[in-house]
Amino acid sequence: MAVTLENRYKGLRAPHKIKMAASGCLRECAEAQGKDVGVIATQAGYNLYVCGNGGAKPVHAKLLATDCSVEECLKYVDRFLMYYISTAKHLQRTAPWLAELEGGIDYLKKVVIEDSLGIAADLEQMMERNRANEKCEWKAVAYDEELRQKFQHFANTKEIHDSEQIEYIDMRGQRHPNLYSPPDITGPALYRKEDSHSSDWEWIFAGLVSAYPKNGGLSVKHGMQELAVFHLPSAEPKEQWLATQNLCPHKQARTISRGLVGVQPNGTLTVADPIYKTTYNLVTGEGISNPNFNLSTFKTKVEDGKVFVQVPPCSEMEEKMEKMIQESFKADGREYLAKKTGGPVDHMGQCLSKQKDLSW
C-alpha cells in the first residue's frame, strides 16, 4: 500500500507539502495517524486517517473511513486530496484547513464518502488528469541538454568544483561535508563596489543573461575565488544585477549564490544563506541578522546579453581572502595547516598550487 500511495500521488501540486504513511498493523509503527494521509491495515481492509500533522504543533489525524478495500481507500484519498487542493489557502496544511472547514470531519465525510455536494466524479477526474500529466522533472533534466545547463556549477565556465575542495568528516558513522568546523569570519568586508575605481580592477564575464533565474543567483568563478551574481528584474534598474562574494562568512560555506532572496518591509533587498539563514543586505553586503558578518560587493553591467562583474585581480583577491581565512582560524585559537599535497590550501582543503587559473 505504501508503494501504491507513493506512485499514485508523486508530483502532486498542493497548497503545502503532503505527508503520507501506511502501517501494516494496529501497532502503527509508521505513525500514520500523524500524517496528512495515513492508512492502517485491519483484518477487514484499511482504516483511513486524514489531516494529521507533526512538528511544533502536532495534530492527531481524524478517522475518515474504516475497513476500506484498496480500491475504496484510493478513491477516498483521490477525492480528499483534490477537495483540499481546490479549497485550501496558499501554504495551508491539511490540519489547519480542516480546523477552518465548517462542520469539520463530519462534513468532510459527507463530501468525500457520501458525495453530498455531487462533485465526487469531478474530483476523481481531476486526479486522473493530474496522474496522466505527471512527469518526473529530474528525469526531464537528465535527458535535456538545455535544462542540464541550469545545474552547472558556474555561470561563466563549464569547469566544476574539484571534489577535493570538499572536506568530509564522520558524523554518526556517516560521511558528511564539513560545514561545521570552519570558524566564522567577522569584521568588515574585504571589498565594496565603491572601491572599484582602482585602475587594476577588471571586468570579467559572468555568464549569459538568459542563463540566470529570475529573482535568483548563480556562482561565478574568478581564479580560485567565487562570486555570487543575482538577477532581480522587478527591482530598481540599478539594483537588477547585484554581485557579492559567494563565501558566507558564517562557517565559510560557498552558498550565497543559492541564497533565498527577499525584500524587507522598508524595501531593503536581502539574501539569506540557504544553510544557516544568515541574512545580508544584498545591495551593501552588510549583515542584517548579525552585523559582524559582511559580504564583499562588486559592480555589474550587462552588454549584448552578457553579464560582467568588476573585480580586483585574481592574485590580489586570492591573497587577501586567504589571509582573512587564516586570521579567522587564528582568532578561533586553531591552527591553519597546509595539506600533505604540498603548498597552501584554501579553507575547504584544496591545494592552491594545483588549482588551474582561468584567463578571462
Side-chain angles (χ1 to χ4, degrees):
M1 175 59 89
V3 175
T4 299
L5 291 172
E6 170 72 19
N7 289 330
R8 188 176 184 86
Y9 302 114
K10 61 185 178 184
L12 183 66
R13 293 291 188 269
H16 208 294
K17 62 184 177 183
I18 296 176
K19 294 185 177 181
M20 302 184 183
S23 289
C25 69
L26 295 179
R27 290 183 178 179
E28 238 284 75
C29 295
E31 300 178 350
Q33 296 176 78
K35 303 295 189 291
D36 299 284
V37 175
V39 294
I40 302 176
T42 67
Q43 291 183 336
Y46 291 93
N47 286 347
L48 174 60
Y49 290 84
V50 296
C51 300
N53 191 77
K57 298 179 180 179
V59 177
H60 197 288
K62 305 298 188 294
L63 182 61
L64 183 67
T66 58
D67 296 332
C68 302
S69 66
V70 173
E71 293 74 17
E72 288 176 326
C73 192
L74 295 178
K75 178 175 66 176
Y76 294 155
V77 174
D78 285 354
R79 295 177 182 179
F80 161 71
L81 288 176
M82 295 315 301
Y83 186 55
Y84 157 67
I85 291 171
S86 301
T87 59
K89 300 174 184 176
H90 180 57
L91 296 179
Q92 186 177 41
R93 292 289 299 272
T94 58
W97 167 75
L98 181 62
E100 293 183 2
L101 190 65
E102 187 175 353
I105 188 64
D106 293 331
Y107 176 77
L108 187 60
K109 287 180 180 179
K110 292 179 181 179
V111 173
V112 172
I113 300 176
E114 301 174 13
D115 192 19
S116 61
L117 298 180
I119 60 173
D122 294 333
L123 296 175
E124 292 173 15
Q125 289 176 7
M126 290 168 63
M127 181 59 75
E128 284 303 314
R129 286 196 298 270
N130 179 83
R131 295 182 60 222
N133 295 324
E134 189 275 327
K135 295 180 180 179
C136 177
E137 296 170 349
W138 291 111
K139 182 178 179 180
V141 170
Y143 288 93
D144 190 308
E145 176 66 26
E146 184 177 348
L147 289 176
R148 285 205 305 274
Q149 291 179 0
K150 295 181 181 295
F151 292 86
Q152 69 182 43
H153 288 177
F154 302 108
N156 60 336
T157 176
K158 290 187 177 181
E159 287 197 12
I160 62 175
H161 288 292
D162 192 310
S163 60
E164 293 181 5
Q165 282 183 300
I166 303 176
E167 181 182 354
Y168 290 93
I169 58 175
D170 180 80
M171 179 175 289
R172 296 186 294 273
Q174 297 179 331
R175 188 167 177 258
H176 196 281
N178 186 4
L179 299 177
Y180 306 93
S181 179
D184 299 333
I185 299 175
T186 58
L190 277 180
Y191 299 102
R192 299 184 308 156
K193 52 189 170 186
E194 292 78 13
D195 302 330
S196 59
H197 61 272
S198 178
S199 60
D200 57 351
W201 281 49
E202 57 184 332
W203 288 98
I204 65 168
F205 174 62
L208 300 174
V209 170
S210 58
Y212 279 81
K214 293 181 179 179
N215 301 312
L218 294 175
S219 56
V220 172
K221 201 171 191 300
H222 179 48
M224 278 290 299
Q225 303 305 318
E226 297 178 19
L227 311 174
V229 180
F230 296 88
H231 182 204
L232 310 173
S234 58
E236 296 293 328
K238 64 179 181 179
E239 297 176 348
Q240 290 184 357
W241 290 94
L242 298 170
T244 71
Q245 67 188 57
N246 197 31
L247 180 70
C248 181
H250 183 40
K251 300 302 180 185
Q252 303 186 35
R254 300 181 184 185
T255 55
I256 296 299
S257 63
R258 299 296 182 181
L260 309 175
V261 178
V263 183
Q264 291 188 330
N266 62 3
T268 300
L269 295 173
T270 64
V271 61
D273 163 39
I275 298 179
Y276 299 103
K277 305 301 184 290
T278 308
T279 308
Y280 303 90
N281 183 315
L282 192 50
V283 177
T284 66
E286 296 173 343
I288 295 177
S289 58
N290 188 332
N292 292 318
F293 299 148
N294 296 280
L295 300 175
S296 292
T297 57
F298 307 92
K299 287 184 178 180
T300 62
K301 68 178 181 180
V302 175
E303 293 179 351
D304 300 325
K306 299 177 182 179
V307 185
F308 295 88
V309 181
Q310 192 175 26
V311 292
C314 291
S315 57
E316 175 194 325
M317 193 170 179
E318 289 169 8
E319 181 180 349
K320 289 188 175 181
M321 289 292 289
E322 179 71 7
K323 182 179 179 181
M324 181 178 66
I325 292 168
Q326 289 178 354
E327 290 176 348
S328 71
F329 275 83
K330 184 178 180 180
D332 199 44
R334 296 155 61 184
E335 189 175 4
Y336 185 67
L337 299 175
K339 290 204 170 182
K340 294 181 180 179
T341 49
V345 297
D346 73 358
H347 69 290
M348 296 302 282
Q350 176 64 37
C351 179
L352 297 181
S353 61
K354 292 191 175 183
Q355 276 275 4
K356 181 171 67 175
D357 197 359
L358 293 178
S359 176
W360 305 103

